[in-house]
Amino acid sequence: MTVGTKEASGWFRIRPELRECISFKQINLVNPVMDEEAFDVVFCRNVLIYFQTDTIEKVNELLYKNVRPGGHCFLGHSESFQNISHKWKNAGISVYKK
């Protein structure tokens, strides 16, 4: 990682060799097409607040199934899996670990 200076102060750039190991995907959480255990990390921030409880339960199952063992799921600060049955381990505020 390199740190910016002057106008770019406070910004970071990921080194190319690390960037080659990272992929970003947008997924439809209601009608997904994913491979099981496809992700090390999932960022699902400020999405679940728009869903009913039954949909949150389905999304929870989908995310859990598609995160590799030891992987993490990050939710928004106003979201959680508290009111539903889930297998995640709490790893912090709005952070869950498989």
Side-chain angles (χ1 to χ4, degrees), residues 17-76:
E17 60 270 18
L18 180 57
R19 205 172 338 155
E20 291 173 9
C21 299
I22 300 171
S23 64
F24 292 91
K25 296 180 183 180
Q26 291 182 348
I27 306 274
N28 181 334
L29 295 171
V30 177
N31 297 309
V33 177
M34 296 194 299
D35 299 322
E36 287 192 23
E37 295 188 359
F39 303 106
D40 295 304
V41 178
V42 172
F43 297 93
C44 187
R45 294 182 49 86
N46 302 323
V47 174
L48 300 179
I49 57 175
Y50 299 103
F51 293 153
Q52 302 273 337
T53 302
D54 61 329
T55 305
I56 294 171
E57 289 172 347
K58 290 177 188 174
V59 169
N60 163 58
E61 291 173 20
L62 168 86
L63 293 176
Y64 192 84
K65 182 171 36 171
N66 287 279
V67 170
R68 291 184 181 110
H72 288 79
C73 178
F74 292 83
L75 302 180

